Amino acid sequence: MGKKKILITGKGSYVGTNLITWLMKCPDQYDVDEISVRGDEWKKKDFSKYDSVLHVAGIAHVSTNLKMKEHYYKINRDLTVEVAKKAKIQGVKQFIFMSSIIVYGDSSNEKRIIDCKTVPSPSNFYGDSKLQAEEELKLLENDGFKVAVIRPPMIYGKDSKGNYPKLAKVAKILPVFPDFDNERSMLHIDNLSEFLRLMVENGERGLFFPQNAEYVKTSEMVRVIAGIHDNRIILLKVFNPVLRLMIARVNFVNKVFGNLVYEKKLSEYKTKYQMNDLKDSVRKSI
């Protein structure tokens, strides 16, 4: 067996950059290239030598600005389909699409568990553009062109963007933090990288829901981060009534303290991919 040849779209992306580092631990098994799909230059690229195309390019942040709506569909849906069609025409055997847990809508005040029967219900055009891309990719799939759709929860790790670094920042300095009971599925970048490696290695197709082995309680994560920085943070329940009111109204509070998890059985895979537990993943993220 020769090396697996992988093309990653979205040059310099967080997921792509970390996956390359992960795969280069086995340089005799993988050849990896990455390209930008901005503009039209990428259309000249020959895809025919690749076994798998991993499409991570897209708009990742959530916006409610209606002026951005058309742009989301153009990038997250139309560009995805265009790249997939080129891959299929040029003989690529597998197309891996990074979708998101956001296709199921926002987190909530009450415990919310997504299982195999949960129907996607996007609450914004970020989630809807991802879901529409998934649906169009299904139409392209056949036995010679496998499509694997990954719906990860919040991805975090060293140098990640989004809410995790904000939490890490406050955990280092705050003397107190809310002790609020919530559960979130999260995914450390190493766990995702190993999962994606297995997707390529095993030539997978279908829908996948990778997550860490344990759910994350936000206050517990903050306590772990604080402990690593020798900050003895005190967790208090006194803020909880206010937070419950704010979850439904303030987007940032919802993202931090809301509930949104995959049923654990949904995320099981035949090979172990969860390389780091919560404490190890936090330590590696600092």
Side-chain angles (χ1 to χ4, degrees):
M1 290 283 289
K3 289 184 180 183
K4 291 274 187 182
K5 293 181 170 59
I6 305 160
L7 178 65
I8 300 171
T9 68
K11 193 166 187 177
S13 67
Y14 184 69
V15 171
T17 300
N18 280 276
L19 178 60
I20 291 169
T21 301
W22 190 260
L23 294 178
M24 286 306 98
K25 293 178 180 180
C26 309
D28 56 329
Q29 293 179 42
Y30 304 101
D31 270 340
V32 192
D33 293 328
E34 57 176 349
I35 58 165
S36 169
V37 286
R38 294 175 185 269
D40 292 327
E41 194 64 27
W42 67 272
K43 295 175 184 177
K44 301 173 187 174
K45 176 81 173 174
D46 180 10
F47 284 17
S48 64
K49 65 180 179 179
Y50 298 103
D51 300 296
S52 302
V53 169
L54 170 60
H55 185 65
V56 298
I59 308 173
H61 63 277
V62 175
S63 172
T64 54
N65 183 352
L66 286 173
K67 291 179 181 176
M68 289 288 291
K69 184 174 181 179
E70 188 180 335
H71 191 57
Y72 270 77
Y73 288 99
K74 184 179 177 183
I75 302 299
N76 287 352
R77 180 193 61 199
D78 300 345
L79 180 62
T80 298
V81 174
E82 192 177 1
V83 173
K85 283 180 177 176
K86 177 176 169 65
K88 183 178 181 179
I89 288 166
Q90 296 193 338
V92 176
K93 296 181 178 67
Q94 183 192 42
F95 188 84
I96 303 172
F97 175 54
M98 289 294 293
S99 187
S100 170
I101 196 173
I102 204 75
V103 301
Y104 294 103
D106 295 327
S107 47
S108 65
N109 205 338
E110 304 301 321
K111 289 203 173 184
R112 188 169 171 221
I113 301 174
I114 296 164
D115 60 23
C116 60
K117 296 176 183 174
T118 306
V119 177
S121 55
S123 57
N124 52 56
F125 38 81
Y126 167 49
D128 190 52
S129 62
K130 286 285 191 182
L131 185 60
Q132 287 193 27
E134 290 184 20
E135 288 166 353
E136 294 206 27
L137 288 174
K138 281 182 204 165
L139 301 176
L140 294 176
E141 187 175 25
N142 58 32
D143 289 340
F145 185 67
K146 297 177 181 178
V147 174
V149 172
I150 318 295
R151 289 180 180 166
M154 184 178 124
I155 299 164
Y156 69 101
K158 187 172 172 58
D159 302 322
S160 62
K161 294 177 182 176
N163 291 321
Y164 177 78
K166 293 174 187 172
L167 276 179
K169 199 172 182 179
V170 300
K172 286 189 263 185
I173 57 172
L174 285 184
V176 296
F177 192 81
D179 186 4
F180 193 81
D181 283 324
N182 72 317
E183 284 185 334
R184 296 197 73 92
S185 289
M186 292 178 67
L187 184 60
H188 185 251
I189 189 63
D190 285 358
N191 296 342
L192 173 59
S193 294
E194 175 61 8
F195 188 80
L196 291 173
R197 185 190 73 79
L198 290 167
M199 293 290 101
V200 170
E201 193 64 37
N202 298 328
E204 295 287 7
R205 67 195 292 181
L207 260 176
F208 297 91
F209 313 87
Q211 64 176 328
N212 288 351
E214 64 267 81
Y215 297 146
V216 174
K217 177 180 174 181
T218 303
S219 55
E220 173 63 15
M221 176 173 256
V222 166
R223 189 189 64 77
V224 171
I225 297 169
I228 290 169
H229 287 282
D230 295 322
N231 177 24
R232 293 188 178 182
I233 200 165
I234 299 168
L235 302 177
L236 299 173
K237 292 187 181 290
V238 68
F239 306 107
N240 291 4
V242 176
L243 285 173
R244 283 195 189 92
L245 289 173
M246 291 176 71
I247 283 175
R249 300 171 190 173
V250 182
N251 194 33
F252 175 73
V253 176
N254 187 357
K255 285 182 178 178
V256 174
F257 293 104
N259 292 274
L260 189 63
V261 299
Y262 283 132
E263 183 186 59
K264 290 190 176 177
K265 191 177 284 188
L266 201 62
S267 302
E268 290 175 357
Y269 188 64
K270 56 194 173 191
T271 309
K272 178 177 164 61
Y273 66 89
Q274 294 149 331
M275 313 305 288
N276 301 313
D277 63 18
L278 178 63
K279 195 160 189 178
D280 287 339
S281 73
V282 167
R283 192 175 285 111
K284 286 189 169 190
S285 301
I286 292 168

